[in-house]
C-alpha cells in the first residue's frame, strides 16, 4: 500500500504536466475549431479545409517535409556510421549537435547573409566563374536550411542504434562470406531501423509545421500548414480556421507516429 502511494506521488507531477501542457492545449484548439470568424458555432471551418486551397497546402506541407526527411536521412545515416568507426566519436558527435543549441531565428538570419546577393555563397560562385545567382527565397534555400537545422536530430538516434550494434554479428557475417552490401542490407539496417524511425519522427513532424523559415528563407514562396496557422491567428484573426488546421495537423502527426512507431516483435 505504501509503495503504491509513493508511486502515485511520483506520477502526480508527470500527470499534471501532461494535463496542463498536452491535453488542455489540444482540447482548447479543438474547442476553437468549431467557431467561425464571427464567433458562431459552426462546422464551416471543417468544410473549408477540404477545399482545393487547403488540400493543396496540405500536400505541399507533406512534400516539403518528405524531402527534408529523406535528404536528412541520406546524409545522416552514412555520417552516423562513419562516426561509430572514428576515434573520439563522442567529441565529433558533440560538434555535430552543438549548432542545434543556437537559436533557430539566429541561424535563419545567418543564412540570410550567407545566401544574400553579396553573401558568401554568391561570392564563391563568382570566384569559380558561375556568377551571382538568386539563391535566397527559393525552394533550394528553404530545403537546404531546413536540412541543416534538422540533421543533428536525425544523426543522434541513428548513431545510438549503430553504436549499440553487436560487433560479433558483423564478424559472423564476414566469416560466412557475406559481402558488405549484404551485411548492411540483412544485418546493419534491419537492426538499426528503430533509430531510423525515431530520426524520421523528430524531423518529419516539426518539418510538417514549419513557418518561420518559410517567411525568412523562402520569402513566402513555400506555403505550409504551419504558415497558414500563423496567418490565421496573427493576420486574419480567424482563430477558428487556424485551430481547425491545427487539429488536422495534430491528427496527421499522431498517424505518422503510429505508422513509424516501434512495434514489439513476438518471440
Amino acid at each position: 500500500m505504501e509503495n503504491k502511494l509513493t508511486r502515485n506521488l511520483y506520477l502526480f507531477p508527470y500527470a499534471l504536466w501532461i494535463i496542463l501542457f498536452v491535453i488542455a492545449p489540444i482540447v482548447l484548439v479543438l474547442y476553437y475549431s468549431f467557431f467561425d470568424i464571427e464567433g458562431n458555432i459552426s462546422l464551416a471551418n471543417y468544410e473549408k479545409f477540404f477545399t482545393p486551397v487547403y488540400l493543396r497546402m496540405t500536400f505541399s506541407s507533406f512534400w516539403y517535409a518528405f524531402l527534408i526527411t529523406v535528404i536528412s536521412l541520406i546524409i545522416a545515416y552514412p555520417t552516423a556510421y562513419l562516426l561509430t568507426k572514428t576515434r573520439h566519436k563522442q567529441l565529433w558527435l558533440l560538434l555535430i549537435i552543438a549548432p542545434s543549441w543556437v537559436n533557430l531565428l539566429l541561424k535563419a538570419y545567418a543564412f540570410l547573409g550567407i545566401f544574400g546577393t553579396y553573401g558568401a555563397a554568391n561570392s564563391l560562385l563568382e570566384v569559380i566563374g558561375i556568377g551571382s545567382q538568386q539563391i535566397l527565397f527559393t525552394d533550394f534555400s528553404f530545403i537546404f536550411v531546413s536540412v541543416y537545422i534538422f540533421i543533428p536530430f536525425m544523426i543522434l538516434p541513428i548513431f545510438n542504434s549503430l553504436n549499440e550494434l553487436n560487433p560479433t554479428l558483423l564478424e559472423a557475417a564476414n566469416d560466412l562470406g557475406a559481402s558488405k552490401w549484404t551485411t548492411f542490407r540483412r544485418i546493419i539496417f534491419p537492426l538499426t531501423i528503430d533509430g531510423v524511425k525515431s530520426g524520421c519522427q523528430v524531423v518529419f513532424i516539426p518539418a510538417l509545421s514549419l513557418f518561420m523559415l518559410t517567411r525568412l528563407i523562402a520569402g513566402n514562396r513555400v506555403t505550409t500548414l504551419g504558415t497558414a496557422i500563423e496567418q490565421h491567428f496573427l493576420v486574419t484573426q480567424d482563430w477558428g480556421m487556424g485551430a481547425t488546421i491545427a487539429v488536422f495537423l495534430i491528427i496527421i502527426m499522431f498517424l505518422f507516429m503510429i505508422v513509424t512507431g516501434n512495434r514489439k516483435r513476438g518471440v
Side-chain angles (χ1 to χ4, degrees):
M1 184 67 181
E2 186 178 348
N3 290 336
K4 185 177 180 181
L5 180 61
T6 303
R7 185 168 63 251
N8 290 338
L9 287 174
Y10 284 135
L11 286 175
F12 178 75
Y14 173 76
L16 184 63
W17 178 275
I18 293 296
I19 292 171
L20 292 178
F21 299 106
V22 178
I23 297 176
I26 292 175
V27 171
L28 192 61
V29 167
L30 185 63
Y31 169 77
Y32 274 112
S33 69
F34 291 105
F35 289 87
D36 60 22
I37 195 169
E38 296 176 355
N40 301 316
I41 296 178
S42 171
L43 294 175
N45 294 325
Y46 287 90
E47 295 175 0
K48 189 176 180 181
F49 182 84
F50 289 99
T51 57
V53 172
Y54 289 98
L55 291 177
R56 188 161 52 246
M57 197 179 300
T58 303
F59 174 78
S60 176
S61 298
F62 262 100
W63 175 243
Y64 284 109
F66 173 77
L67 285 179
I68 292 167
T69 304
V70 169
I71 295 172
S72 297
L73 178 60
I74 291 172
I75 298 172
Y77 202 101
T79 302
Y81 183 78
L82 289 174
L83 281 176
T84 61
K85 303 299 181 183
T86 58
R87 296 178 60 188
H88 311 297
K89 54 188 174 185
Q90 296 297 339
L91 175 61
W92 286 108
L93 184 64
L94 178 63
L95 293 176
I96 290 173
I97 296 174
S100 65
W101 299 343
V102 180
N103 184 272
L104 175 62
L105 187 61
L106 293 178
K107 288 188 282 190
Y109 275 111
F111 275 103
L112 285 176
I114 293 171
F115 286 155
T117 305
Y118 304 103
N122 268 316
S123 297
L124 178 62
L125 293 177
E126 291 280 359
V127 169
I128 62 179
I130 295 177
S132 181
Q133 303 290 324
Q134 177 60 44
I135 304 175
L136 201 60
F137 308 137
T138 61
D139 289 0
F140 166 79
S141 62
F142 171 69
I143 294 173
F144 183 94
V145 175
S146 299
V147 169
Y148 167 80
I149 289 171
F150 288 125
I151 202 166
F153 304 106
M154 180 71 81
I155 291 175
L156 186 58
I158 296 175
F159 171 83
N160 289 334
S161 295
L162 287 167
N163 201 41
E164 294 171 0
L165 196 62
N166 190 343
T168 58
L169 296 175
L170 306 183
E171 293 171 4
N174 185 52
D175 291 341
L176 292 171
S179 65
K180 290 184 178 181
W181 170 245
T182 301
T183 303
F184 172 78
R185 183 171 56 88
R186 300 294 296 273
I187 298 175
I188 298 176
F189 189 76
L191 292 177
T192 57
I193 192 65
D194 287 346
V196 172
K197 288 180 179 179
S198 297
C200 289
Q201 285 180 356
V202 297
V203 172
F204 183 87
I205 290 175
L208 196 62
S209 56
L210 281 173
F211 68 91
M212 185 187 298
L213 295 182
T214 60
R215 300 288 192 199
L216 295 176
I217 304 299
N220 289 332
R221 283 175 51 88
V222 175
T223 305
T224 64
L225 293 177
T227 310
I229 292 172
E230 180 207 21
Q231 185 172 1
H232 282 300
F233 272 99
L234 301 181
V235 180
T236 65
Q237 297 292 305
D238 189 354
W239 287 23
M241 193 62 216
T244 303
I245 300 171
V247 168
F248 281 102
L249 193 57
I250 292 170
I251 293 172
I252 293 169
M253 289 176 178
F254 273 117
L255 291 175
F256 183 78
M257 290 180 67
I258 291 171
V259 171
T260 58
N262 299 331
R263 298 177 176 83
K264 297 294 183 182
R265 297 175 183 175
V267 179

